[in-house]
Amino acid sequence: NFGNAVAIQGTRIIAGAWNEDESASGTTTLSSAGSAYVFEGCPYPGNHSFTDDPVAVCIGEDLMLNALITFSESYQWQVSSGGAYTNVVDGTLYSGATLPFLAISNVPYCMNGYKYRCKITSACGAVIYRAFVLDINPASYTEKVELQASDRASNDLFGDDVAVSGNYAIAGAKFEDHDALGGNTLSAAGSAYLYERDLGGNWTQVKKITATLRGAGATFGFSVDIYGDYAVIGAPGEDISGSNQAGAVYIYQRIAGAWTFKQRLIAPVLATDDMFGHSVAIDGDKQIIVGARGEDENAGGGGTLTDAGAAYVYEYLPAYDSFNIVPFKIVASDRAAGDRDGRGFGSRHGRPHSRH
């Protein structure tokens, strides 16, 4: 079951294999303990300052173009995608449009072959151009590491969902039984594991996370996502106030290098078998979407159709430092019983993600 869940950002890919039995070293076998595999591409890791033409860079990387001349009256970077040059303007993609150094963020492959030049005007009015052409490597990926839980055990299904963002990766183990300290056994309470990549390219487990309200069968870690300093983990099997498998979602934030619990989300209307948290996603604007594959009602709370499914969108509110508790509910325009809409989500914050 390698590839049951996959995610990509920039030149890093993570793929889950929840049915993997062998340890990373191949020395021990535990049935369905699970693994996740990290692949990295591109022969040009990290950020660069380029002074030669062409400029070699990988998809999703950041780069800096250097005009070399720093004793001038003014600078104006310009770009051509095949036609006439136009002035570069600072924004999401560019910064330093009128400086000796132009920074380009998260380079997409569609910019392959783009030409850049810096129009340099000296104090005496002379104009000099420094030109570059982007040569974007689509990257070939090689396996970097096999990730496994520090306390791996049979049938944990580690890697049933995975996500990656920058130097951090997360893997869910929905059938894991123990708390973060390895005790308090609760069958299929679930857990999630966070990994960090150091400057040497080594991936290390930095935290095992379990729900603040653990319960047998909650399947915490059934769905996971990560972006920047936020990790989102679904527990669709969690029982709440007498509603079995109503489901919940837990948000964690990295503060001063430590991942800490921030907030728990539940559906505004609880119902048995809604499985809120069956899928989750978070984007760079701190918006979270949560799938509830067993939801029966439409956005207005009527039109009951068994297991039609729904999704809920939450937005971060800076004034309250929290995600809003009254979400926007989404249902399909052609919803039908058994559709289970909200079972999974696709593209998110520039990195496609898939699980089945």
Side-chain angles (χ1 to χ4, degrees), residues 48 52 69 79 276 288:
H48 313 280
D52 297 322
I69 302 173
V79 60
F276 177 89
I288 292 174

CSV table of all heavy atoms in Angstrom, one decimal, residues 48 52 69 79 276 288:
chain,number,residue,atom,x,y,z
A,48,HIS,N,20.1,30.7,-3.3
A,48,HIS,CA,21.4,31.0,-4.1
A,48,HIS,C,21.5,32.4,-4.4
A,48,HIS,O,20.5,33.1,-4.6
A,48,HIS,CB,21.4,30.1,-5.4
A,48,HIS,CG,21.1,28.7,-5.2
A,48,HIS,ND1,22.0,27.8,-4.7
A,48,HIS,CD2,19.9,28.0,-5.4
A,48,HIS,CE1,21.4,26.6,-4.6
A,48,HIS,NE2,20.1,26.7,-5.0
A,52,ASP,N,25.9,34.4,-12.9
A,52,ASP,CA,26.1,33.9,-14.3
A,52,ASP,C,24.8,33.7,-15.0
A,52,ASP,O,23.8,33.4,-14.4
A,52,ASP,CB,27.0,32.7,-14.3
A,52,ASP,CG,28.4,32.9,-13.8
A,52,ASP,OD1,28.9,34.0,-14.0
A,52,ASP,OD2,28.9,32.1,-13.1
A,69,ILE,N,26.8,45.3,-9.6
A,69,ILE,CA,27.3,46.7,-9.5
A,69,ILE,C,26.5,47.3,-8.4
A,69,ILE,O,25.2,47.4,-8.4
A,69,ILE,CB,27.1,47.4,-10.8
A,69,ILE,CG1,27.8,46.8,-11.9
A,69,ILE,CG2,27.5,48.9,-10.7
A,69,ILE,CD1,27.6,47.3,-13.3
A,79,VAL,N,11.6,42.0,-16.7
A,79,VAL,CA,11.4,40.6,-17.0
A,79,VAL,C,10.8,40.4,-18.4
A,79,VAL,O,10.0,41.3,-18.8
A,79,VAL,CB,10.5,39.9,-16.0
A,79,VAL,CG1,9.1,40.5,-15.9
A,79,VAL,CG2,10.4,38.4,-16.3
A,276,PHE,N,-16.8,14.0,11.3
A,276,PHE,CA,-16.2,15.3,11.1
A,276,PHE,C,-14.7,15.1,11.4
A,276,PHE,O,-14.3,14.5,12.4
A,276,PHE,CB,-16.8,16.3,12.1
A,276,PHE,CG,-16.2,17.6,12.2
A,276,PHE,CD1,-16.6,18.6,11.3
A,276,PHE,CD2,-15.1,17.9,13.0
A,276,PHE,CE1,-16.1,19.9,11.4
A,276,PHE,CE2,-14.6,19.2,13.1
A,276,PHE,CZ,-15.1,20.2,12.2
A,288,ILE,N,-8.8,26.6,7.2
A,288,ILE,CA,-8.9,25.2,7.4
A,288,ILE,C,-10.2,24.7,6.8
A,288,ILE,O,-11.2,25.3,7.0
A,288,ILE,CB,-8.8,24.8,8.9
A,288,ILE,CG1,-7.4,25.2,9.5
A,288,ILE,CG2,-9.1,23.3,9.1
A,288,ILE,CD1,-7.3,25.0,11.0
